[in-house]
Amino acid sequence: MSNRATTTQLIPLLVAPSQVLRGENALSDAADAIARLGKRPLIVGGDRTLAATQFHLQPIFKQQKLSAAQANYSPDCSETSLASLREAVKNHQADLIIGVGGGKALDTAKLLAHQCQLPIVTIPTSGATCAAWTALSNIYSNEGAFQYDVGLNRCPDLLILDYELIKTASPRTLVAGIGDAIANGMKPPLVAALQRLPSLLLRYNKPEFYAIFSSKNQPLPYKRQAAKHGETL
């Protein structure tokens, strides 16, 4: 089997990145793909991931004659960090954002690119989340508490999935990623089923359960009725 990275061109919609480059040492083979998107990249990540990816990125920047700068997204994917990063974009005159790291680092980089109307490259360093793929960013407080999410106008322009980088992450991140994939895969059918549930309960002559599921605030008798039928609320 070849160790060469494989490239997949995808229609640039909300559902998928425009280009996916994946394989062993895929990052080392990504020079041309990165250079096509910009000449002055700003690399956004945490201290550890920025250090870990320098070995792979610096030869690319040298080969393609790119002028790169780094910026830490600390303290979190927060409004404070984004304001600081927008200043970094302005000071570096960046024309491309490269996000490296886990979910929060990639969410920060994607939203920064969205706000600055710049291309975005995502380089995940673990398999824990789908942040490298999606057109969505979650915003947190500086203390790490979730606040809200932001829908983006497109998925990343380039996703580089380097298997060697993913292997350096803790095994628990892969377990977390499997759980995340299962949960996300279950969401659409589960939501559809819950939306149909009230009408199905009426259809099968269960009005007491319909009342429970079709309103958030139900009187205690309905709950007693459910308990009588062996249902757990």
Side-chain angles (χ1 to χ4, degrees):
M1 180 182 292
S2 171
N3 287 330
R4 296 285 299 176
T6 59
T7 303
T8 304
Q9 296 285 354
L10 301 170
I11 299 173
L13 300 173
L14 286 172
V15 295
S18 301
Q19 183 179 6
V20 176
L21 186 62
R22 65 191 186 278
E24 302 287 343
N25 300 307
L27 188 50
S28 300
D29 295 332
D32 291 340
I34 292 174
R36 279 195 294 269
L37 293 172
K39 301 300 181 185
R40 298 186 61 83
L42 178 69
I43 307 132
V44 176
D47 286 336
R48 285 187 297 177
T49 52
L50 287 172
T53 54
Q54 278 307 293
F55 173 78
H56 303 278
L57 288 173
Q58 284 303 324
I60 292 175
F61 299 151
K62 185 176 181 180
Q63 174 191 341
Q64 298 291 332
K65 298 181 180 178
L66 306 183
S67 177
Q70 292 184 351
N72 193 309
Y73 76 99
S74 178
D76 212 302
C77 182
S78 64
E79 293 179 353
T80 303
S81 294
L82 285 161
S84 175
L85 289 168
R86 287 194 296 271
E87 281 298 311
V89 168
K90 181 179 177 182
N91 292 337
H92 181 57
Q93 298 181 335
D95 59 1
L96 168 66
I97 305 298
I98 299 177
V100 296
K104 287 188 176 182
L106 299 180
D107 273 3
T108 306
K110 289 188 300 182
L111 185 51
L112 177 65
H114 174 79
Q115 292 175 341
C116 297
Q117 299 182 338
L118 296 176
I120 172 69
V121 176
T122 54
I123 306 172
T125 55
S126 84
T129 75
C130 57
W133 182 283
T134 60
L136 182 74
S137 288
N138 292 327
I139 300 299
Y140 300 83
S141 69
N142 289 339
E143 294 70 37
F146 173 77
Q147 293 188 319
Y148 59 93
D149 54 42
V150 179
L152 311 177
N153 57 14
R154 68 181 190 280
C155 289
D157 298 281
L158 172 63
L159 189 166
I160 304 170
L161 183 60
D162 190 314
Y163 298 162
E164 289 300 315
L165 273 181
I166 299 298
K167 288 177 186 176
T168 64
S170 166
R172 65 183 177 82
T173 62
L174 182 58
V175 174
I178 292 170
D180 185 65
I182 292 172
N184 284 323
M186 283 296 295
K187 282 177 186 176
L190 183 59
V191 169
L194 288 173
Q195 288 173 339
R196 293 182 59 209
L197 187 55
S199 61
L200 287 172
L201 291 171
L202 278 183
R203 178 179 174 185
Y204 290 102
N205 196 25
K206 296 291 183 182
E208 65 273 23
F209 296 145
Y210 170 81
I212 293 168
F213 286 103
S214 62
S215 174
K216 292 182 180 178
N217 301 305
Q218 290 302 325
L220 187 58
Y222 285 116
K223 297 182 181 180
R224 287 176 180 155
Q225 287 271 11
K228 190 184 298 182
H229 287 79
E231 296 289 330
T232 301
L233 300 180

